[in-house]
Amino acid sequence: MQAIRTPSRTVVAVGGNSLISAGAVNGNLDTHGLAREVCEELATIAQYRGGVVITHGNGPQVGFELLRNSMASSIVPPDGMDVNVAATQGYIGYFLQQVLGDVLEERGVDIPVTALITQVLVAPDDPAFRNPSKPVGPFYSLEDAGKAMDQHGWIMKEDAGRGWRRVVPSPKPRRILELEAIRTLVNAGQIVICVGGGGVPVVREGYKVRGVPAVIDKDHVSALLATRLEADTYVISTAVPHVYVNFGKPDRRAIEYATLEEMEHFVSMGEFAEGSMLPKIRASIGFLKHGGERVVITSPGNILRAMDGKAGTTIVHGTAAIKSGARLSEPD
Amino acid sequence: MQAIRTPSRTVVAVGGNSLISAGAVNGNLDTHGLAREVCEELATIAQYRGGVVITHGNGPQVGFELLRNSMASSIVPPDGMDVNVAATQGYIGYFLQQVLGDVLEERGVDIPVTALITQVLVAPDDPAFRNPSKPVGPFYSLEDAGKAMDQHGWIMKEDAGRGWRRVVPSPKPRRILELEAIRTLVNAGQIVICVGGGGVPVVREGYKVRGVPAVIDKDHVSALLATRLEADTYVISTAVPHVYVNFGKPDRRAIEYATLEEMEHFVSMGEFAEGSMLPKIRASIGFLKHGGERVVITSPGNILRAMDGKAGTTIVHGTAAIKSGARLSEPD
């Protein structure tokens, strides 16, 4: 079977948690569960729609890297966090290209899959650097947190009674340095895995770029990537099947279909949680405002049906939407 | 300044030891020393010759990964060695693309540089699997070695009185799974970093590929890559400025220029050390026998002069070589 080439482009952002297994086997990555399910769906999109670019989170995995670096620090000096992110891009990319390659091979479909190491430029004067807020890595006791602050200059914060964690800035993505390679491979009909963990955050200093300890929001950078690639569709694969209004309340209702304007309204009403659904919605709005046609937000296993409008949350421009307002599910 | 595009293709294999700093700072990778020097040379080749593909070793770095995995194993289950190799591809790739990017930026040269995660297929019945011989990772005491053998099923060997080390098979590379992406990017005039650490070794099991704990010789797989890309030149950057005859003896002489046939003669005379120069020479011979024009073996800082025939060891086909036999240096 041949891949059907169309000018369509789909960027799919896969959550880091859907790549981790409870059993924590090879690479602490789950080659059988959710990730396999996601890869089956990605393969189908690539096969029938073409132009698939995959991005992924690395939250749990970079936590393992930081923990390992910390535990071995008496013998091997810890790497910078930029290096840890690059390492997770390496092994999650390996894992995804392997599982996706297996699925394609089983279907007799010959589409090359390749993971690229990706640096993402951020502004050194991004306000996020003055307010590190993104928790990363393991929990520490008060005493060990104090030591780590002294030794490494880390900023540590108490995390909801569970202990102390390092926090790092989450600056805005400005430019994807390896964009040209990504574009070249997608234009050649290949599947690309990139900007893992939001990309390795770097700042420019004269002629040099230099890694910084920070985490770029993967949904935000994936939206930037989708815009730059002139993708028509941006898919966010996450833990929940829909975006909801009144989330966590008895009258919670799933958003099945909404316009950009309706989503902006929901944002202004404070419907979405900071640090959870809100950044995904903001990234989606940004993509649609910069030329994107459609955003689909759903959970692994629902992506294909959601792209057909039969599951998940679809966000489109006003002119394309149902005139009578956002389509919400019946109350549960 | 524009890159000059010619049909020339150069594959450069960079030794893992030339990427490590004595000071062991960021990522234990040295962004100022040898690696910067190599990147300056790689940039010049890309600028004036075009078609540069870079491969690299990961010996010291994968050792750090194995050590960290081991030291944190009570909390985070250790990854498979395939995953460790992929992680080093990620962070060494990041580092190389960053330093090389800096050099190109400083020169005002716009050539994209991208590191790819690379899997390399090996045969499950490769004789190497019956005789694991490649030492990897940290040294263990006899007691800890015994425990590791019991717990992880590792094979451990005593290493020259320095302690016990894990040994893994070193199977032959059969196929580079991401070759198509590498070729696409090189054809588009971009610089590609790939098959780091010899590539992640995988075997095929039905429709699936599966990582195996092994190390593929990076010079061998780089020669395979050079052949598949129809490269004209294969450069091996290593610790010594030349290949030598009578190495380690008072009448040691550097080989400046030799034919394939002369090198085969030196091999048959046992001139080159197993596990050191011999695999490089075997890889070089393989490249030349499969269509390659020229092999250059030298140390960082000498690559450009060596490609001009003014340093290092050059190996060519008989018809291109000096008729009077291998050109050797004067005895020291």
Side-chain angles (χ1 to χ4, degrees):
Chain A
M1 191 182 292
Q2 279 293 310
I4 296 165
R5 302 269 179 88
T6 74
S8 70
R9 294 268 179 281
T10 311
V11 171
V12 185
V14 179
N17 280 302
S18 61
L19 303 173
I20 197 168
S21 86
V25 285
N26 193 24
N28 300 299
L29 292 167
D30 179 4
T31 54
H32 303 289
L34 283 181
R36 172 85 192 192
E37 199 167 6
V38 172
C39 285
E40 293 277 2
E41 295 183 290
L42 296 170
T44 301
I45 302 170
Q47 210 173 335
Y48 294 105
R49 202 164 194 275
V52 172
V53 177
I54 301 158
T55 69
H56 61 84
N58 73 346
Q61 294 84 9
V62 82
F64 293 148
E65 285 307 299
L66 289 163
L67 184 62
R68 285 171 174 158
N69 273 258
S70 172
M71 290 189 76
S73 62
S74 61
I75 299 182
V76 188
D79 290 329
M81 195 180 160
D82 56 327
V83 175
N84 299 140
V85 173
T88 65
Q89 286 187 353
Y91 82 77
I92 300 173
Y94 157 61
F95 158 75
L96 276 175
Q97 79 189 13
Q98 187 172 87
V99 178
L100 188 50
D102 288 353
V103 172
L104 291 165
E105 178 75 20
E106 194 168 342
R107 297 186 188 180
V109 175
D110 184 18
I111 307 177
V113 185
T114 310
L116 306 187
I117 303 306
T118 321
Q119 305 175 88
V120 175
L121 202 68
V122 300
D125 59 355
D126 191 296
F129 286 108
R130 293 194 302 274
N131 179 31
S133 60
K134 174 86 185 167
V136 292
F139 290 91
Y140 291 81
S141 68
L142 176 60
E143 192 190 335
D144 288 343
K147 276 187 206 159
M149 290 171 83
D150 288 348
Q151 268 182 18
H152 308 302
W154 292 353
I155 297 168
M156 311 280 292
K157 285 189 182 161
E158 220 268 328
D159 189 330
R162 294 180 296 177
W164 290 72
R165 282 182 92 186
R166 182 178 178 193
V167 288
V168 296
S170 187
K172 269 192 199 163
R174 300 296 176 111
R175 198 155 73 83
I176 296 161
L177 295 189
E178 287 74 22
L179 182 66
E180 199 50 40
I182 299 167
R183 189 180 277 138
T184 300
L185 292 173
V186 179
N187 286 346
Q190 304 186 26
I191 299 174
V192 182
I193 300 160
C194 57
V195 296
V200 183
V202 297
V203 295
R204 178 159 292 291
E205 287 185 351
Y207 293 125
K208 293 188 178 181
V209 299
R210 179 176 65 77
V212 287
V215 168
I216 301 170
D217 179 71
K218 80 147 195 328
D219 297 308
H220 200 143
V221 71
S222 303
L224 175 64
L225 176 67
T227 301
R228 290 282 177 272
L229 293 175
E230 300 180 18
D232 53 289
T233 302
Y234 174 32
V235 178
I236 302 179
S237 168
T238 185
V240 288
H242 289 91
V243 182
Y244 297 91
V245 290
N246 300 324
F247 189 70
K249 294 178 194 159
D251 58 345
R252 171 182 102 158
R253 291 176 72 187
I255 302 171
E256 295 180 346
Y257 206 84
T259 64
L260 166 57
E261 295 74 20
E262 286 161 346
M263 292 308 280
E264 287 188 309
H265 174 69
F266 290 140
V267 169
S268 72
M269 300 290 286
E271 286 287 354
F272 310 122
E274 187 73 60
S276 168
M277 193 51 80
L278 185 59
K280 295 185 201 305
I281 302 301
R282 286 213 171 110
S284 303
I285 289 172
F287 170 66
L288 291 169
K289 285 195 166 175
H290 290 90
E293 288 175 23
R294 175 173 63 150
V295 174
V296 172
I297 303 177
T298 193
S299 49
N302 289 309
I303 297 174
L304 292 176
R305 290 195 310 126
M307 286 181 73
D308 277 344
K310 293 173 187 155
T313 296
T314 297
I315 314 170
V316 293
H317 288 277
T319 49
I322 292 167
K323 295 295 173 198
S324 55
R327 195 172 79 211
L328 304 180
S329 64
E330 292 302 308
D332 292 335
Chain B
M1 189 183 289
Q2 279 292 311
I4 295 163
R5 303 269 180 86
T6 74
S8 69
R9 293 268 178 281
T10 312
V11 171
V12 186
V14 179
N17 280 302
S18 62
L19 302 174
I20 198 168
S21 86
V25 283
N26 192 23
N28 301 299
L29 292 166
D30 180 5
T31 55
H32 303 289
L34 282 182
R36 172 86 193 190
E37 198 167 7
V38 172
C39 285
E40 293 276 3
E41 295 182 291
L42 295 171
T44 302
I45 302 170
Q47 210 174 334
Y48 295 105
R49 199 163 196 277
V52 172
V53 177
I54 302 157
T55 69
H56 60 84
N58 73 346
Q61 294 84 7
V62 83
F64 293 148
E65 285 306 300
L66 289 164
L67 185 60
R68 286 170 174 158
N69 273 258
S70 172
M71 290 188 76
S73 62
S74 61
I75 298 183
V76 189
D79 289 329
M81 194 178 161
D82 56 328
V83 175
N84 299 141
V85 173
T88 65
Q89 287 188 353
Y91 83 75
I92 301 172
Y94 158 63
F95 159 76
L96 277 175
Q97 78 188 15
Q98 187 170 89
V99 178
L100 188 49
D102 288 352
V103 172
L104 291 164
E105 179 75 21
E106 194 168 344
R107 297 184 188 181
V109 175
D110 183 18
I111 307 178
V113 185
T114 309
L116 305 189
I117 304 306
T118 322
Q119 306 174 85
V120 175
L121 201 68
V122 300
D125 59 354
D126 191 295
F129 286 107
R130 293 194 302 273
N131 179 30
S133 59
K134 174 87 184 164
V136 292
F139 290 91
Y140 290 80
S141 68
L142 177 59
E143 193 190 336
D144 288 343
K147 276 187 206 161
M149 291 170 82
D150 287 345
Q151 268 181 17
H152 308 303
W154 292 353
I155 297 167
M156 313 279 294
K157 284 190 183 161
E158 221 267 328
D159 188 331
R162 295 180 295 176
W164 290 71
R165 281 183 93 186
R166 182 178 177 192
V167 288
V168 295
S170 188
K172 270 193 198 162
R174 299 296 174 112
R175 197 156 73 84
I176 297 161
L177 295 190
E178 287 74 22
L179 182 65
E180 198 51 37
I182 300 167
R183 187 181 279 139
T184 300
L185 292 172
V186 179
N187 286 348
Q190 304 186 27
I191 300 174
V192 182
I193 300 159
C194 57
V195 296
V200 182
V202 296
V203 295
R204 178 160 290 291
E205 287 185 351
Y207 292 126
K208 293 188 177 181
V209 299
R210 179 176 65 79
V212 287
V215 169
I216 301 169
D217 180 70
K218 78 146 196 328
D219 297 309
H220 199 142
V221 71
S222 303
L224 174 64
L225 177 66
T227 301
R228 289 282 177 272
L229 293 176
E230 298 179 21
D232 53 288
T233 302
Y234 174 32
V235 177
I236 301 179
S237 168
T238 186
V240 288
H242 289 91
V243 182
Y244 297 91
V245 291
N246 301 322
F247 190 70
K249 294 178 194 157
D251 59 345
R252 173 182 100 155
R253 292 176 71 188
I255 302 170
E256 295 178 347
Y257 207 85
T259 63
L260 166 58
E261 295 73 20
E262 286 161 346
M263 292 308 281
E264 286 188 309
H265 175 71
F266 290 141
V267 169
S268 72
M269 300 291 284
E271 285 288 354
F272 310 121
E274 187 72 60
S276 170
M277 192 53 79
L278 186 59
K280 295 183 201 307
I281 302 301
R282 286 214 171 110
S284 304
I285 289 172
F287 170 67
L288 291 169
K289 286 196 164 174
H290 290 90
E293 288 176 20
R294 173 173 65 148
V295 174
V296 172
I297 304 177
T298 193
S299 50
N302 289 310
I303 297 174
L304 292 176
R305 290 195 310 124
M307 285 182 73
D308 277 344
K310 292 171 185 158
T313 296
T314 297
I315 313 169
V316 292
H317 288 276
T319 49
I322 291 166
K323 296 294 176 199
S324 56
R327 194 172 81 212
L328 303 181
S329 63
E330 293 302 309
D332 293 335

